[in-house]
Amino acid sequence: MGSPGNVEGVKALLLTVLVSIMVLTPTAAIHVYTDREVHGTVGSKVTLSCSFWSNEWISDDISVTWVFQPESSRDSVSIFHYAKGQAYIDNVGTFKERIEWIGNPRWKDGSIVIHNLEYTDNGTFTCDVKNPPDIVGKTSQVTLYVFENVPTRYGVVLGSIIGGVLAVVLVILVLAYLIRYCWLRRQATLQRRLSAMEKGKLRLGKDSSKRGRQPPVLYAMLDHSRLTKSASEKKSKGVLGDSRKDKK
């Protein structure tokens, strides 16, 4: 038999090894994802999506649980459970015959559908997934709002308003551009007409100045031709008179 000192040493060594394994081995954690909120109308159906990510292969012992907490209550009740490949649906409570399992753990999907919505379905739904040995992780919650008519979201309204304003601004800019273009075109046309008129006046002025500046020689030649023509006319008249006298 070993001495008490050796036994204590072995115990200390085993404890050290165990602590080292616990510290060095990472803790498996599963991550669950759902929508933040979903909307539905009375009498319609809504899908509560639930997906997850796990470090481990999907095992045969995987489980999916949905828990419901009514809007006006602090108590929660399990409404759905999936385990060992079987879906267990609440057929007693408020969701009797209204829950449908559409998930597939092999595809990391744990979604359900709630049919024939009622006002009492308002509340918080929690999805919890366990995939042994990956069982550590946080659940995910989605809030369901049931209305008579699905309200228009604030983002849609704001987007419509902004779009309308931008459209009006665009139309105003196009009109302003067209008006400016027409005005500039008219101004250019008027400018061309004025330029043409000014050029015509300058030509007329040059012609008149040229006419007013005829040389004196030209005027003298015109006067000489006039005098010659009148003298020839007088001479012809005199000859005709003499011939008439001789005949008498």
Side-chain angles (χ1 to χ4, degrees):
M1 294 182 65
S3 63
N6 292 334
V7 174
E8 294 295 331
V10 171
K11 288 182 178 180
L13 179 61
L14 291 175
L15 182 61
T16 302
V17 172
L18 181 61
V19 171
S20 299
I21 292 174
M22 293 178 63
V23 171
L24 296 177
T25 302
T27 303
I30 192 167
H31 301 273
V32 183
Y33 307 96
T34 62
D35 295 325
R36 186 173 183 179
E37 63 181 44
V38 292
H39 299 157
T41 57
V42 175
S44 67
K45 66 179 181 180
V46 68
T47 299
L48 301 181
S49 301
C50 177
S51 59
F52 61 92
W53 181 86
S54 176
N55 290 318
E56 303 292 335
W57 292 97
I58 304 301
S59 69
D60 294 334
D61 295 327
I62 189 171
S63 65
V64 179
T65 304
W66 280 93
V67 177
F68 172 62
Q69 181 181 356
E71 186 178 29
S72 58
S73 176
R74 295 183 179 180
D75 299 329
S76 298
V77 57
S78 178
I79 60 173
F80 175 84
H81 184 70
Y82 175 91
K84 300 291 184 179
Q86 296 293 327
Y88 300 92
I89 300 174
D90 178 20
N91 288 323
V92 178
T94 58
F95 294 96
K96 180 180 179 180
E97 299 179 352
R98 295 197 296 129
I99 296 179
E100 178 186 0
W101 165 247
I102 60 172
N104 187 343
R106 298 298 175 183
W107 293 96
K108 299 180 180 180
D109 184 8
S111 304
I112 61 173
V113 175
I114 300 178
H115 295 270
N116 194 21
L117 290 177
E118 302 174 357
Y119 284 116
T120 55
D121 297 337
N122 283 289
T124 302
F125 294 80
T126 303
C127 181
D128 185 18
V129 182
K130 305 295 184 184
N131 183 36
D134 195 356
I135 59 174
V136 179
K138 292 183 179 181
T139 60
S140 185
Q141 296 180 339
V142 54
T143 303
L144 172 62
Y145 296 97
V146 181
F147 302 94
E148 184 68 29
N149 294 310
V150 177
T152 304
R153 293 189 176 182
Y154 175 75
V156 176
V157 176
L158 182 60
S160 300
I161 295 173
I162 293 175
V165 172
L166 291 177
V168 172
V169 172
L170 181 62
V171 170
I172 293 174
L173 290 176
V174 171
L175 290 175
Y177 174 79
L178 291 175
I179 292 172
R180 180 174 175 79
Y181 173 77
C182 294
W183 182 80
L184 291 175
R185 188 173 181 180
R186 181 178 177 83
Q187 290 295 112
T189 303
L190 292 175
Q191 189 67 30
R192 286 195 297 269
R193 290 180 179 177
L194 291 174
S195 298
M197 292 175 65
E198 290 178 357
K199 289 180 180 179
K201 290 181 178 179
L202 289 175
R203 288 178 181 176
L204 292 173
K206 289 181 180 179
D207 294 340
S208 60
S209 62
K210 287 181 179 179
R211 292 176 182 176
R213 295 176 183 176
Q214 292 291 340
V217 178
L218 181 59
Y219 286 107
M221 293 174 65
L222 290 173
D223 293 338
H224 179 71
S225 62
R226 290 173 183 174
L227 292 174
T228 303
K229 184 176 181 181
S230 60
S232 62
E233 288 178 352
K234 290 180 178 180
K235 186 177 181 180
S236 60
K237 288 180 180 180
V239 172
L240 289 174
D242 294 337
S243 62
R244 287 176 182 177
K245 288 180 181 181
D246 294 336
K247 288 180 180 181
K248 288 180 180 182

